[in-house]
Amino acid sequence: MKPPLPGQEPRPTRSFAYRAGDPLWTIAQGRPIEFSGDEKFYFFGRNCGAGEAMTVVADLAPARLADSLPIARLPKSGTAGWALGVTANGDVFLRVGSRERHADAVARGVLQVGRTTQVAATFFQGEICLFVNGELKARTKTPFARLDDTGTPGRMGANSGRYEAVGDVTLSTNGPTNAQNWGSYAGRLGGVSIYNRSLSAAEVAALNPRR
């Protein structure tokens, strides 16, 4: 795991100061975290982005464009996980389901190398909404109703499938089970928040200082 620097500290998944409606996990609110594309990552709780609704918000500034999953709680199989992903074409997407079976909402060509882009993705009652810099860019209905997988820990940074968490232990694997060759994210990630509710379009717009 990567050690946080000042301004990057994660907020625990639950704390005595937690208020209903707040994000369950935040990190890098004051200073973005730089990822080099190696296998380093941060864990977040299995209860983050779980249930019938969720939102993930992040500022992405890729150092290079490549297929990767910067923030994910995505099991190998089943229908109850999710991942925020980027592609070599500059697309960004929210994937719901698993590595083997999933549905995506995709915003095409919105990322550029070195430029910070705020992405917010919501899920509620089977529908994914994807916002870029506060504006709705994609909406997709899925056959999946809930995100109840609790066996897969969340990871931010490397999600190439080369390592797998078994309980509290991380072990190497033979790589991802799907055909896509996922790399590890390289670039900055900041302003990351994960909620167990779906933010409204007005709430998402209010998060973006450019609007």
Side-chain angles (χ1 to χ4, degrees):
M1 294 176 61
K2 286 175 67 69
L5 299 173
Q8 298 177 344
E9 296 89 348
R11 200 191 80 170
T13 301
R14 283 284 189 178
S15 72
F16 292 112
Y18 176 81
R19 299 175 300 178
D22 281 356
L24 264 70
W25 191 73
T26 65
I27 194 171
Q29 296 298 310
R31 178 179 181 181
I33 298 171
E34 190 84 31
F35 291 90
S36 65
D38 59 16
E39 288 297 316
K40 293 180 180 178
F41 59 88
Y42 291 87
F43 274 128
F44 58 86
R46 291 170 169 85
N47 62 331
C48 293
E52 68 175 9
M54 62 83 65
T55 300
V56 56
V57 181
D59 296 332
L60 292 89
R64 62 174 180 266
L65 296 177
D67 295 342
S68 61
L69 302 174
I71 306 172
R73 190 175 61 77
L74 194 68
K76 289 183 178 179
S77 59
T79 62
W82 60 269
L84 184 67
V86 303
T87 75
N89 296 321
D91 306 337
V92 64
F93 61 88
L94 184 71
R95 171 162 295 176
V96 170
S98 65
R99 292 183 182 267
E100 292 180 353
R101 181 185 175 207
H102 49 260
D104 298 344
V106 185
R108 304 287 182 187
V110 297
L111 298 179
Q112 293 182 15
V113 171
R115 187 184 73 177
T116 299
T117 301
Q118 186 197 68
V119 176
T122 67
F123 174 86
F124 181 59
Q125 294 182 341
E127 183 177 68
I128 305 169
C129 292
L130 192 60
F131 300 82
V132 177
N133 292 331
E135 296 183 5
L136 180 63
K137 294 294 186 181
R139 188 197 304 264
T140 301
K141 275 287 190 180
T142 81
F144 313 128
R146 296 182 63 87
L147 304 176
D148 287 334
D149 176 78
T150 57
T152 305
R155 302 207 311 185
M156 185 183 84
N159 275 295
S160 64
R162 295 186 180 91
Y163 294 90
E164 179 178 323
V166 180
D168 294 325
V169 179
T170 302
L171 303 174
S172 62
T173 69
N174 292 324
T177 58
N178 62 333
Q180 182 147 7
N181 183 23
W182 293 105
S184 294
Y185 177 76
R188 296 189 301 276
L189 275 173
V192 178
S193 299
I194 302 174
Y195 301 75
N196 274 18
R197 66 182 183 93
S198 176
L199 297 188
S200 68
E203 287 177 305
V204 171
L207 293 174
N208 190 275
R210 300 176 181 86
R211 291 174 62 86

